């Protein structure tokens, strides 16, 4: 209070502009005044009382209470005027001496107050023979000029009767004793002396704010002491970090995920910054999970993420013994079971083993059936997947579905456990060492690629933050991480915060060193400035530099001073290491040889190593004693124990230890470690634990061929790598799997094909599959060609060919995929003509229809299973190539469907037979126009799926049947809803292709059945986002065209093409680019233009674009083909009435009307209103007004009854035009108003801006 008053701070107001008017002699106990405003303060009268009076009369506790209730000031002895001092003004030393004398009396106990500070009265020359208490070190102060209150100033040796010792005799804290002594004494080093009153303020603040540090026991000041839970000089970064985290929680209902990326050089404190946030966040209800990527464990880096979740759930399981812990665990278990079906929990258990103990009921419901598949009983409303613990089904599912299935359920898990009340922070350390699979996994749940497709309206808001650190000096423009950062920046679903951490500033260095040395900043200022210049403020560099000074004797503890001292001159001239790594290396080199060897063994495993693995290793003579040595050196700041792990103190410490291993010895060390660990691993019973992968990693790191001369041992290692790769593919670790498979191929060597053909073939096939999963097209081609080169039997290479076909198709090369597929089918004995005519298709369908007429559903379901492997592969290839044929060369689809039917009836049925029967059914409807026959066989295709318990195929089946067959018989609203559900189910098993296909069809059907445009606009936006995210450009351009149509109807002033793709500026560009290769895509774009033109009554445009649409062939295979007939009829009747009554228009209209009448016979729900409207337009065109009015009213009623809101509006508007022609003005205005209401309810605000509604809206 005293110093703050002197510095012009009273009641938190600054008065630095007040001139100095206080003289040194005014600073005394008598002039130190406490003014009271209350009457009940310890029997003192209100008004001013001198500090001397207060101190004389009351105890320290009572004084504290009095000061808390009083206003402190100074009064001049003459006139009672208050004095002030500018806190920034440099003062003469006498001011500080007088202030020190006052403090001296304040702090001393009552019996010693006002006693002069004793001096022996003898100068230095008289006492030169006396020895100090401890030997002075280089750079220590040789003496101080003592100030004795009331006496002369003499240069004396600091004796036991000096100010410092006098205060310490009364057990005052060293920091306070040093403060008072330094205020009262002259002769201090110029850099250590007080200069301004602000220096005194700062020191008092340090003491009061860090009482545990600066008012401490004497022995705790003897060593440099850094605390890991404190951060210095990072207030701006902490503020940015907190703002980003809090924003996520506050704005959780926006369904945004937050990504916080902290970049900086090694040792800059990136990880430290985030670590220190975790405890306060945890106290406020956050769940904090941490994982750290390791440069030596990159093979399993995505496992690192799963491990963080596994350790989190394990920690919850250990808390079951407490009621609070059991309650928290039960709450999370229920939330997870609500969000994730049993099949999803089974999938996640492969990467989060603790799920097996958390959800025992789920695994009790898993029962293998006779075919080796696995049945899981279904929960109401949720499709449960067929999921086999040994993953026998995955070979039959497209390979990338495994990864997407896992990603989807992982997203659901995050959504289940996070909420605004229980936010989740995932801390990912050292992202520069994460592999592509890990970054893909992170991007998957951060960018919500799956939720964008299947967002649930009643999902609770989640609150999830990913905070990652990376070394900016190791991430260049070509680094994988930078590509993902760019994705985050452009993603709508991500809130990205980027923080760059460099060295702390000079003030941060001062605070850090002051705290570490337990000294005020004033005493460490000069040292801090030198250290800051040498380390550039790198926190780790500062820490290790100071430790090296103490290790080298340039910093030492003085018993006399009760503090650390240092040789400032030697430090200032000491050469500095180039970087932190160099100083770490010198630190490690000081270790004894046995310690260095033990550390080297630990370093071979990465930054941390499990003690259980070391126990296995230490059972051999070569590595015995390693654990004991590591335990012994835990306190040296090199390595520490965390749970069951030995962890290096920092990445740079690990790097320093590992880099010190001789280049010629590191391979041998890895080899010997691996040899000891793999000796008990059997390929025939490959363990699932991480220990197996760690052991194989060690062998693989011994890259020199000198260690692998024995053929049987090389085969053994290759087999272990194959098993590891296969296991990782099953758990979606495809990039890690590829590393092991490549090592397996390397172990076999150049003669692998000759020495162990079967093993080599399996390695190359699995490598081919892993490359496909990673999207490495060229490498898939390479491995497939290697297999082809060494294999004459096609059946030995058919799996690689199948993978190649999938790779080419999904990577935007469908033409090449189709060519390769036809070549493979010829090898399998399935020949197809190069050109297919309409007569060929009709003949094939008719003969197949005749053949099937002799079969019942029961006969199909009881037919034998297909055992011929060649036929199985033929059906599989036809199944997988069909989606690409549908877009590029659809004439082959009926041929493929009929061929599959014939193979199944002749040779037996397999799980893929369903697609052939469904393709046949679709063709019968669209080509033979036998709707009832096609509908019946489409349903039987579903029973084939049930027969083989192939539940993972149900999303595909639902997508195809609802997109191509069911709308002929069932309400369109029903099929649209089923398509939406099929997309959700497809993403649940990772079938990305059918997610996009189903979502695309769903959006189209929701538009055509008149569902609310506001909802549809959102659905299309998330579907487009999902297509971009999942690299499904195949359906994207027609979806963008659909989005443009909806924008026009809703009045959104935006062009999706301009936003998404620079190369495709509009629909014209798409049509030009794909007219020759993608006819169905171009027809989809034309249809969206036609739909918009119909609603805007631009019927001449409808007729013109319909002609272009039909130039690609007149199909009846898609819903849009049927609607085109309807729209073309409306346009034709309009053109007849408004363009010269050309009878060709009447013929086109009448033809459309007959088609709609035929279709209405199969589904009155979908087609009655359209047929009625065309009838009305026909009668109007012919002048049959009474009949026309009746049919218009029938169309309006049917549209309303069958919930086609937009078509009700269209019928009302056309009736209004009819009344206008009949000059029935009131009826015209009335029905136009009703049309406007329908369009409003539909959400077509852009349509209502059209000029024809002027003055009515």
């Amino acid at each position: 209070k005293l110093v703050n008053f002197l510095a012009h701070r009273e009641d938190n107001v600054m008065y630095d502009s007040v001139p100095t008017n206080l003289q040194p002699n005014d600073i005394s106990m008598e002039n130190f005044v406490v003014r009271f405003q209350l009457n009940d303060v310890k029997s003192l009268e209100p008004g001013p009382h001198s500090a001397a009076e207060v101190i004389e009369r009351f105890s320290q506790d009572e004084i504290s209470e009095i000061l808390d209730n009083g206003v402190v000031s100074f009064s001049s002895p003459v006139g009672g005027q208050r004095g002030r001092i500018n806190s920034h003004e440099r003062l003469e030393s006498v001011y500080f001496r007088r202030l020190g004398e006052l403090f001296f009396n304040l702090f001393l106990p009552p019996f010693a107050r006002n006693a002069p500070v004793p001096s022996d009265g003898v100068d230095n020359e008289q006492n030169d023979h006396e020895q100090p208490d401890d030997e002075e070190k280089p750079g220590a102060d040789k003496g101080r000029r003592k100030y004795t209150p009331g006496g002369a100033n003499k240069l004396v040796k600091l004796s036991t009767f000096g100010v410092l010792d006098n205060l310490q005799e009364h057990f005052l804290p060293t920091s306070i004793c040093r403060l008072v002594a330094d205020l009262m004494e002259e002769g201090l080093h110029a850099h250590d002396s007080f200069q301004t009153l602000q220096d005194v303020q700062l020191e008092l603040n340090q003491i009061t704010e860090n009482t545990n540090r600066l008012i401490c026991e004497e022995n705790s000041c003897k060593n440099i002491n850094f605390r890991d839970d404190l951060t210095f000089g990072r207030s701006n970064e902490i503020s940015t970090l907190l703002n980003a985290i809090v924003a996520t929680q506050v704005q959780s209902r926006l369904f945004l995920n937050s990504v916080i990326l902290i970049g900086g050089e090694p040792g800059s404190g990136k990880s430290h910054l985030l670590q220190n946030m975790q405890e306060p966040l945890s106290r406020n209800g956050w769940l904090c999970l941490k994982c750290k990527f390791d440069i030596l464990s990159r093979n399993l880096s995505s496992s690192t993420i799963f491990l963080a979740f596994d350790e989190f759930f394990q920690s919850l399981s250990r808390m079951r013994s407490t009621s609070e812990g059991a309650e928290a665990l039960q709450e999370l278990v229920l939330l997870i079971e609500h969000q994730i079906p049993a099949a999803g929990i089974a999938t996640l258990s492969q990467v989060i083993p603790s799920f097996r103990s958390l959800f025992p009921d789920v695994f009790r419901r898993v029962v293998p059936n006779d075919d080796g598949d696995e049945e899981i009983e279904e929960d109401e409303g949720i499709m449960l997947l067929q999921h086999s613990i040994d993953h026998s089904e995955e070979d039959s599912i497209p390979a990338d579905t495994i990864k997407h299935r896992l990603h989807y359920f992982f997203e659901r898990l995050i959504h289940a456990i996070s909420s605004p009340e229980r936010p989740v922070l995932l801390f990912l350390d050292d992202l520069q060492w994460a592999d592509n699979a890990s970054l893909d996994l992170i991007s998957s749940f951060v960018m919500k690629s799956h939720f964008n497709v299947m967002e649930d309206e009643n999902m609770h808001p989640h609150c999830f933050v990913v905070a990652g650190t990376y070394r900016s000096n190791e991430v260049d423009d070509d680094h994988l991480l930078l590509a993902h950062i760019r994705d985050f920046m452009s993603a709508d679903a991500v809130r990205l915060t980027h923080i760059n951490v460099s060295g702390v500033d000079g003030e941060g260095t001062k605070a850090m060193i002051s705290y570490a040395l337990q000294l005020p900043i004033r005493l460490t200022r000069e040292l801090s400035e030198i250290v800051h210049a040498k380390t550039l403020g790198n926190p780790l560099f500062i820490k290790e530099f100071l430790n090296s000074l103490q290790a080298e004797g340039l910093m030492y503890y003085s018993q006399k001073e009760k503090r650390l001292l240092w040789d400032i001159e030697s430090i200032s001239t000491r050469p500095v290491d180039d970087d932190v790594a160099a100083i770490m290396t010198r630190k490690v080199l000081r270790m004894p040889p046995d310690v260095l060897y033990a550390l080297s063994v630990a370093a071979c495993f990465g930054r941390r190593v499990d003690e259980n693995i070391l126990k296995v290793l230490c059972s051999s003579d070569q590595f015995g004693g390693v654990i004991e040595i590591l335990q012994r050196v835990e306190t040296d700041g090199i390595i520490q124990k965390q749970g069951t792990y030995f962890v290096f103190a920092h990445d740079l410490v690990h790097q320093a230890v590992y880099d010190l291993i001789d280049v010629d010895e590191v391979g041998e060390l890895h080899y010997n470690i691996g040899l000891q660990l793999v000796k008990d691993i059997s390929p025939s019973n490959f363990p699932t634990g991480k220990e197996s992968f760690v052991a194989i990693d060690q062998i693989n790191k011994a890259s020199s061929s000198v260690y692998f001369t024995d053929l049987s041992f090389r085969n053994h290692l290759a087999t272990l790598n194959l098993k590891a790769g296969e296991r990782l593919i099953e758990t979606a670790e495809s990039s890690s799997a590829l590393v092991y498979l490549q090592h397996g191929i390397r172990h076999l060597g150049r003669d692998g094909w000759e020495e162990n053909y079967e093993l080599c073939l399996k390695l190359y096939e699995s490598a081919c599959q892993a490359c496909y999963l990673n999207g490495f097209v060229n490498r898939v081609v390479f491995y497939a060609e290697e297999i082809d080169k060494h294999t004459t039997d096609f059946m030995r290479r058919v799996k690689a060919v199948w993978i190649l076909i999938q790779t080419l198709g999904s990577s935007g090369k469908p033409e090449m995929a189709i060519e390769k597929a036809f070549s493979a089918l010829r090898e399998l004995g399935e020949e197809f003509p190069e050109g297919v005519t309409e007569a060929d298709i009709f003949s094939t369908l008719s003969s197949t229809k005749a053949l099937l007429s002799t079969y019942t559903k029961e006969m199909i379901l009881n037919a034998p299973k297909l055992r011929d492997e060649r036929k199985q592969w033929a059906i599989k290839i036809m199944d997988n190539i069909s989606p690409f044929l549908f877009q590029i060369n659809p004439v082959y689809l009926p041929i493929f469907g009929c061929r599959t039917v014939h193979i199944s009836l002749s040779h037996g049925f397999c799980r893929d037979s369903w697609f052939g029967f469904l393709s046949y059914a679709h063709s019968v409807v669209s080509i033979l126009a036998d709707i009832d026959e096609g509908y019946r066989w489409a349903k039987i295709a579903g029973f084939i799926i049930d027969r083989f318990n192939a539940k993972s195929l149900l999303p595909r089946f639902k997508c195809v049947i609802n997109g191509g067959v069911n709308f002929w018989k069932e309400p369109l609203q029903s099929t649209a809803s089923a398509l939406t559900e099929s997309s959700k189910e497809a993403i649940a098993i990772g079938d990305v292709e059918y997610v996009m296909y189903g979502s695309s069809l769903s959006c189209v059907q929701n538009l055509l059945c008149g569902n609310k445009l506001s909802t549809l606009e959102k659905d299309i936006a998330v579907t487009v986002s999902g297509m971009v995210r999942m690299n499904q450009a195949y359906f994207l351009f027609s979806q963008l065209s659909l989005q443009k149509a909806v924008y026009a109807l809703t009045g959104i002033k935006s062009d999706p093409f301009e936003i998404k793709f620079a190369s495709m500026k509009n629909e014209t560009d798409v049509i030009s680019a794909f007219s020759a290769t993608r006819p169905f895509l171009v027809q989809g774009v034309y249809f969206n233009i036609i739909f918009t033109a119909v609603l805007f009554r631009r019927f001449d445009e409808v007729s013109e674009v319909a002609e272009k649409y039909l130039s690609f062939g007149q199909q009846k295979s898609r819903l849009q083909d049927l609607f085109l007939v309807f729209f073309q009829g409306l346009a034709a009747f309009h053109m007849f009435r408004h363009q010269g009554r050309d009878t060709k228009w009447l013929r086109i209209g009448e033809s459309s009307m007959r088609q709609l009448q035929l279709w209405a016979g199969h589904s009155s729900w979908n087609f009655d209103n359209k047929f009625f409207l065309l009838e009305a337009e026909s009668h109007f065109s012919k002048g049959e007004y009474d009949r026309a009015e009746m049919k218009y009213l029938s169309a309006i009623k049917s549209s309303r009854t069958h919930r086609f809101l937009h078509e009700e509006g269209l019928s009302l508007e056309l009736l209004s035009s009819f009344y206008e022609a009949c000059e029935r003005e009131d009826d015209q205005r009335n029905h136009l108003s009703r049309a406007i209401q329908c369009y409003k309810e539909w959400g077509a605000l852009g349509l209502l801006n059209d000029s024809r509604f002027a003055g009515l809206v």
Side-chain angles (χ1 to χ4, degrees), residues 117-122 124 127 130-133 142-144 146 155-169 185 560-561:
V117 178
S119 172
D120 56 11
V122 183
N124 286 336
N127 287 280
E130 295 182 10
Q131 299 296 319
D133 291 339
K142 298 299 181 183
R144 293 179 174 177
K146 186 78 61 186
L155 186 65
V156 296
K157 285 265 189 179
L158 187 62
S159 70
T160 55
F161 296 98
V163 174
L164 186 64
D165 291 330
N166 199 307
L167 289 168
Q168 287 177 337
E169 277 186 358
E185 294 171 355
K560 180 200 304 183
E561 294 281 345

Side-chain angles (χ1 to χ4, degrees), residues 1088-1219:
N1088 295 327
I1089 296 171
I1090 291 168
F1091 182 87
T1092 308
V1094 168
L1095 271 300
F1096 279 91
R1097 303 283 299 277
R1098 299 193 297 264
F1099 287 114
D1100 53 344
E1101 182 182 355
V1102 173
S1103 297
E1104 180 185 344
V1105 179
E1107 207 170 307
K1108 295 177 182 178
Y1109 182 105
L1110 294 172
S1111 67
F1112 292 96
Q1114 189 164 5
Q1115 304 284 335
K1116 297 291 187 299
S1117 59
R1118 295 162 298 173
L1119 185 63
Q1120 67 188 40
D1121 298 325
L1122 278 62
F1123 270 80
L1124 178 71
V1125 172
F1126 172 50
F1127 295 152
Q1128 198 176 15
L1130 290 176
F1133 287 125
H1134 177 87
M1135 300 292 282
F1136 173 77
R1137 293 196 302 271
H1138 293 85
Q1139 292 193 8
R1141 302 185 71 81
D1142 189 337
T1143 56
K1144 80 166 185 177
W1145 297 118
L1146 198 58
R1147 286 195 300 273
I1148 293 173
E1150 296 288 348
S1151 175
S1152 296
M1153 189 170 66
R1154 286 191 296 272
Q1155 288 275 13
L1156 265 298
Q1157 184 178 22
L1158 176 65
W1159 298 337
H1162 294 284
S1163 175
S1164 59
W1165 183 287
N1166 290 337
F1167 301 113
D1168 266 1
N1169 70 308
K1170 300 167 185 62
F1171 170 59
F1172 292 149
L1173 189 57
L1174 286 183
E1175 274 194 306
E1177 286 287 288
S1178 174
H1179 291 310
F1180 181 19
S1181 299
K1182 295 175 182 178
E1184 300 167 351
Y1185 291 172
D1186 290 341
R1187 290 184 177 182
E1189 182 178 17
M1190 182 179 65
K1191 290 300 180 182
Y1192 278 126
L1193 294 174
S1194 296
I1196 292 166
K1197 180 180 179 181
S1198 178
S1199 297
R1200 187 185 309 117
T1201 302
H1202 299 143
R1203 304 202 305 274
F1204 292 102
L1205 179 62
H1206 62 314
E1207 290 174 357
E1208 181 185 354
L1210 179 60
S1211 300
L1212 284 163
E1213 188 180 356
L1214 291 178
L1215 176 57
S1216 172
S1217 297
F1218 167 76
Y1219 284 139

Side-chain angles (χ1 to χ4, degrees), residues 89-105:
E89 183 179 287
R90 190 179 181 90
L91 299 178
E92 298 175 12
S93 59
V94 63
Y95 278 95
F96 298 112
R97 289 200 299 271
R98 296 292 294 175
L99 194 57
E101 179 185 355
L102 190 149
F103 281 5
F104 182 84
N105 283 280

Side-chain angles (χ1 to χ4, degrees), residues 279-299:
E279 185 188 351
L281 288 175
S282 297
R283 288 199 304 268
N284 284 278
W286 283 71
L287 301 179
C288 297
L289 293 78
K290 178 185 177 182
C291 66
K292 186 174 182 67
F293 297 103
D294 194 320
I295 192 170
L296 288 186
S297 302
R298 298 176 81 169
N299 290 357

